Amino acid sequence: MIKLKEINFIGYGDIATHNIFSAVKQNQNERSQNELAELDKSIDSLTNTSIKVNFNESTFKNQVYFKDETSGEFIKIGLSDENLEKLQRVFGKQDFFTKSDGSQILSGKTESFVAGWFGDIAYKRGYASSDANGDGYLSQDELANTNSGFTAHGMYYIGLKVAALDSTETYMKYSSDFQDKHKTMSSAGKYASDSIEKELNKTIQNDKNSDGSLTYGELMDKSESEQDVTDVINYLLKYGLTEPVELGEDLLAKALLQQFMSGISSLNAEQKAVLAKAGLLMDENTLKEDLSSVIKNIEANIENSKIDFKV
């Protein structure tokens, strides 16, 4: 098994800005205080009962209402203290109408933001349809039917022990196979929660700039991404999709790795000559700007040196 510290990673900065999940677009309902007071009288009769958002009792004490445009009804759901404070700070307290029991009706940008992320989780990620018995709790079997998975794609160069990340994939089926490949981050709850309410709170928290989009970098920091990619590579090696091929003391392999990790200035004359002959020597500026141009040539120069860790 390859250990995390044995792999050199390239490309996280490039994929960190890739969009993974997006809130469903919502109409922005700007309600006056009079309209909200009138809505207060009937909102419980308008609240959606076909989608259970939690099980037993809410984990979060701050109960809020918002309109779900897909069902046309209102959803009542709990928010954490941190998320409630964040929404009030970002969008303003004018978007909150407090009922006599302390719960709040959302309006304006806040309602649009929360409803948008609810729509993504319930419908695009499939939490609502995956809750087969409608009890508000998603078992592991039910979560396996959601589209909660996402991943980094790239190439692992075996002899060099370099993993080059170049793209991402999202809204993947969170199947048992996916969970096996992404064992550490699945166990850490990175991909899914056992209720819509918990996942909504996690999503609002992860959306650092509250723009209705979750990037790879917001969901996975560099160390988490490297652990995740290591798990996938080990899974592929374990199940015989490829066999590790060590290049040992090969001068070209060692020179390539040194060029990746320490730059051209660290190479000696012999290493530069070997790389130049293979068409793999690059100047410092080009290497910093685009490591992929070196990667593209490796396959032509070192046979059986790579595995594609696309899931």
Side-chain angles (χ1 to χ4, degrees):
M1 178 177 287
I2 298 171
K3 296 179 180 178
L4 176 63
K5 64 183 180 181
E6 296 174 343
I7 301 178
N8 301 288
F9 294 89
I10 295 170
Y12 173 80
D14 294 329
I15 67 167
T17 57
H18 288 197
N19 190 55
I20 301 299
F21 297 123
S22 296
V24 175
K25 251 188 174 338
Q26 304 285 315
N27 290 322
Q28 196 168 301
N29 300 307
E30 299 285 357
R31 304 183 185 92
S32 68
Q33 289 298 301
N34 287 337
E35 288 173 319
L36 287 167
E38 197 60 34
L39 180 59
D40 182 16
K41 299 174 184 177
S42 59
I43 195 165
D44 285 317
S45 65
L46 302 172
T47 299
N48 190 304
T49 55
S50 63
I51 301 176
K52 200 165 189 313
V53 297
N54 54 49
F55 48 97
N56 297 326
E57 293 183 6
S58 173
T59 306
F60 309 96
K61 66 181 182 182
N62 304 295
Q63 298 293 300
V64 300
Y65 295 81
F66 60 85
K67 188 170 185 180
D68 169 33
E69 294 193 359
T70 300
S71 67
E73 295 184 296
F74 281 84
I75 300 291
K76 185 180 182 182
I77 202 164
L79 296 179
S80 67
D81 289 342
E82 293 78 11
N83 281 333
L84 183 65
E85 290 168 6
K86 176 182 180 179
L87 293 174
Q88 291 177 339
R89 183 178 69 253
V90 172
F91 300 112
K93 293 185 178 181
Q94 74 283 345
D95 285 352
F96 295 78
F97 177 88
T98 305
K99 291 166 55 65
S100 59
D101 63 359
S103 61
Q104 301 187 69
I105 303 173
L106 304 183
S107 183
K109 291 180 180 178
T110 303
E111 180 185 41
S112 178
F113 178 77
V114 174
W117 275 126
F118 175 86
D120 174 63
I121 296 162
Y123 307 118
K124 287 167 67 179
R125 292 191 232 173
Y127 273 61
S129 60
S130 297
D131 184 8
N133 61 2
D135 65 350
Y137 171 80
L138 281 89
S139 65
Q140 281 301 309
D141 287 341
E142 289 173 326
L143 281 174
N145 289 318
T146 65
N147 301 313
S148 300
F150 61 91
T151 192
H153 286 169
M155 207 69 70
Y156 175 59
Y157 296 88
I158 299 170
L160 302 175
K161 293 187 176 177
V162 169
L165 286 60
D166 58 22
S167 60
T168 52
E169 185 175 351
T170 185
Y171 291 104
M172 300 171 69
K173 190 69 73 177
Y174 189 57
S175 62
S176 56
D177 183 56
F178 179 96
Q179 293 175 52
D180 287 343
K181 289 185 176 79
H182 301 263
K183 188 173 182 179
T184 304
M185 291 302 120
S186 290
S187 297
K190 276 288 172 179
Y191 297 105
S193 304
D194 58 16
S195 71
I196 293 176
E197 183 180 66
K198 286 183 182 178
E199 189 61 26
L200 177 63
N201 274 273
K202 185 174 77 174
T203 296
I204 292 172
Q205 182 179 0
N206 284 335
D207 187 357
K208 304 293 191 298
N209 58 359
S210 302
D211 66 347
S213 293
L214 281 179
T215 63
Y216 185 79
E218 287 177 312
L219 292 167
M220 289 266 191
D221 65 27
K222 191 172 186 292
S223 62
E224 291 167 341
S225 173
E226 291 176 356
Q227 179 62 63
D228 193 51
V229 169
T230 301
D231 285 350
V232 173
I233 291 169
N234 277 319
Y235 180 93
L236 297 175
L237 294 173
K238 178 180 178 181
Y239 289 99
L241 299 184
T242 188
E243 290 294 327
V245 179
E246 294 298 337
L247 298 182
E249 296 301 312
D250 183 81
L251 180 59
L252 175 60
K254 292 180 72 175
L256 267 170
L257 181 57
Q258 189 167 322
Q259 180 174 231
F260 275 131
M261 306 312 299
S262 304
I264 289 84
S265 60
S266 69
L267 301 173
N268 61 35
E270 183 182 18
Q271 290 171 320
K272 288 180 181 178
V274 169
L275 289 170
K277 184 176 180 181
L280 296 172
L281 182 66
M282 300 183 70
D283 64 77
E284 292 281 5
N285 291 331
T286 306
L287 183 62
K288 287 177 183 177
E289 291 170 3
D290 188 12
L291 287 167
S292 64
S293 53
V294 175
I295 291 289
K296 289 175 184 176
N297 290 324
I298 292 178
E299 296 168 33
N301 289 276
I302 306 175
E303 294 181 1
N304 302 319
S305 66
K306 65 184 178 65
I307 58 171
D308 187 338
F309 54 81
K310 178 176 180 179
V311 178

